[in-house]
Amino acid sequence: MPAKKVCIVGSGNWGSAIAKIIGHNVRASNRFDPVVNMWVYEEMIDGRKLTEIINTEHENVKYLPNHKLPANVVAIPELVDAVKGAKVLVFVVPHQFIAKLCDQMKNHLGEGTIGISLIKGISEGPDGLKLVSDIIREKLELDVSVLMGANIANEVAEEKFCESTIGARNEANGQIFKELLQTPNFRITVVMDSDTVELCGALKNIVAVAAGFSDGFGLGDNTKAAVIRLGMMEMVAFARLFLGESVCSETFLESCGVADLITTCYGGRNRRVAEAFVKTSKSITELEAEMLNGQKLQGPQTSADVYNVLQKKDMVNKFPLFAAVYQICFEGRLAKEIITCLQNHPEHM
Ligand SMILES: NC(=O)c1ccc[n+]([C@@H]2O[C@H](COP(=O)([O-])OP(=O)(O)OC[C@H]3O[C@@H](n4cnc5c(N)ncnc54)[C@H](O)[C@@H]3O)[C@@H](O)[C@H]2O)c1
Ligand SMILES: O=P(O)(O)OC[C@H](O)CO
């Protein structure tokens, strides 16, 4: 069987960290072509193209500085050129960009191409919730797995030990992605409950924003633990509401569930910016621009997407923590009302 060409669609903080792993792993496997394409959203850095910097210095100096990428990872600015001939696509862009990128890729993919989404977020469809993987499936007609877990990109790039979860609909494809992505310090479990895995990855970012508010008020570890627990209860309830009987409780015990929720509520960007939101009174948009140097927050936007979906179902009052995050970020509700929200949570009624 010919070696499969891999293309990474995205090159931000996580995209670059995963490129380090993929570039290394394809060299050690007969299954994959040893040269990996990486689509890069082109920008100028001190008068030079980012793609040129990556291809000469083998470093994404803006989104993952101080980490060398393997030389077999080739940065390509045109999306259609990057995906040409690829049989394995790794989608890793902020979720707000994925639909438009799929439209550009459509009609440029070969038969039998498979994909995996590392994107944490959701979208809204005409009938309510739409998963990012569903957008990719519908637009590109691919089998799509997902990878979600307690995986802060900088720590993964430093090769510190962590776990991750692949959610697959096609088990054989899930195993192919495990071969592509697993390392001694990045241990992967494959489960078939793909939609729950994906929802965990998206929803934990909303809880991280609430954890950041709590930190901003200096409420301490007990309060943050309560935010994490109540957030998890809302994640489970939301998954059951939208995915029904197919949701497997054990999935929340995988890295994509409890572990990602913990890491994100302590070490993530959403937490950090939400803490600054409380301390500075600047808007989320201002803080994202000031603090993240081009990286994108997923939590506030996901809270808005989730709020709209819940409104359509008339279920907002069943998810007070998710709703409070949205209202505080976008509707001027006072951040300190996160405490009122915890005090009156239906879990204690
Ligand atoms: N960073 C992490 O620690 C981490 C870990 C796990 C999962 N994730 C998830 O991975 C996904 C990607 O995150 P990331 O950290 O790689 O990205 P990031 O936050 O670093 O985002 C910046 C990326 O978006 C690109 N971009 C900017 N404008 C664009 C446009 N108009 N169209 C297309 N691309 C544009 C930038 O060039 C850059 O590559 C997100 O869903 C995130 O939640 C991130
Ligand atoms: O930095 P965040 O908040 O986007 O979270 C990063 C990862 O999703 C943690 O697994």
Side-chain angles (χ1 to χ4, degrees), residues 13-14 118 120 148-153 201 204-205 208 259-261 263-265 267-272 295-299:
N13 187 230
W14 186 217
L118 279 53
K120 292 175 175 173
M148 307 281 146
N151 304 142
I152 289 177
K204 65 87 187 171
N205 281 333
D260 199 7
L261 190 53
T263 206
T264 205
C265 288
R269 299 168 294 188
N270 285 289
R271 187 219 66 81
R272 192 152 47 91
Q295 294 182 35
K296 302 284 179 204
L297 283 184
Q298 307 282 273

Side-chain angles (χ1 to χ4, degrees), residues 24 32 57-58 78 161 170 183 256 262 268 306 339:
H24 179 268
F32 305 107
E57 287 159 34
H58 306 294
E78 292 300 331
F161 180 87
N170 176 312
T183 75
C256 63
I262 292 169
V306 161
I339 302 155

Side-chain angles (χ1 to χ4, degrees), residues 100-339:
K100 201 168 150 211
L101 294 174
C102 287
D103 288 338
Q104 291 172 32
M105 272 178 262
K106 208 176 160 75
N107 305 325
H108 296 278
L109 303 180
E111 277 289 298
T113 305
I114 60 172
I116 189 164
S117 171
L118 279 53
I119 300 168
K120 292 175 175 173
I122 65 152
S123 189
E124 253 187 284
D127 308 320
L129 175 71
K130 187 142 196 158
L131 299 173
V132 167
S133 65
D134 280 333
I135 297 175
I136 302 170
R137 283 184 196 101
E138 283 172 23
K139 288 189 181 276
L140 302 179
E141 298 177 17
L142 310 177
D143 178 68
V144 182
S145 303
V146 299
L147 175 107
M148 307 281 146
N151 304 142
I152 289 177
N154 292 342
E155 295 181 19
V156 174
E158 285 163 25
E159 299 179 30
K160 292 177 172 162
F161 180 87
C162 67
E163 298 179 293
S164 198
T165 314
I166 286 179
R169 291 193 181 174
N170 176 312
E171 192 164 10
N173 290 344
Q175 293 300 333
I176 292 173
F177 284 115
K178 180 168 177 167
E179 186 179 327
L180 181 68
L181 296 165
Q182 180 161 266
T183 75
N185 284 319
F186 191 74
R187 305 307 289 170
I188 296 174
T189 306
V190 180
V191 302
M192 300 306 291
D193 190 10
S194 177
D195 292 354
T196 309
V197 171
E198 186 170 355
L199 267 188
C200 282
L203 298 174
K204 65 87 187 171
N205 281 333
I206 308 177
V207 186
V209 175
F213 293 153
S214 175
D215 285 346
F217 289 113
L219 292 172
D221 287 338
N222 292 343
T223 306
K224 194 144 86 175
V227 168
I228 291 172
R229 192 190 85 84
L230 293 170
M232 177 59 100
M233 299 306 282
E234 292 195 16
M235 286 168 60
V236 173
F238 189 91
R240 294 222 164 101
L241 180 64
F242 287 95
L243 305 178
E245 295 294 303
S246 71
V247 172
C248 178
S249 302
E250 283 81 12
T251 303
F252 296 98
L253 301 178
E254 297 291 346
S255 181
C256 63
V258 63
D260 199 7
L261 190 53
I262 292 169
T263 206
T264 205
C265 288
Y266 280 87
R269 299 168 294 188
N270 285 289
R271 187 219 66 81
R272 192 152 47 91
V273 171
E275 180 183 30
F277 179 82
V278 168
K279 289 184 167 167
T280 66
S281 304
K282 292 182 182 171
S283 73
I284 293 282
T285 313
E286 278 175 281
L287 291 166
E288 184 184 51
E290 272 179 30
M291 296 173 69
L292 296 185
N293 189 31
Q295 294 182 35
K296 302 284 179 204
L297 283 184
Q298 307 282 273
Q301 183 55 48
T302 304
S303 76
D305 296 330
V306 161
Y307 191 84
N308 287 340
V309 165
L310 289 172
Q311 257 188 333
K312 280 186 189 155
K313 282 224 171 229
D314 199 16
M315 297 289 272
V316 169
N317 60 352
K318 302 268 186 225
F319 296 86
L321 190 138
F322 288 173
V325 168
Y326 163 74
Q327 289 158 347
I328 292 166
C329 289
F330 296 107
E331 291 196 335
R333 186 171 170 186
L334 294 176
K336 68 178 181 207
E337 287 187 26
I338 198 72
I339 302 155

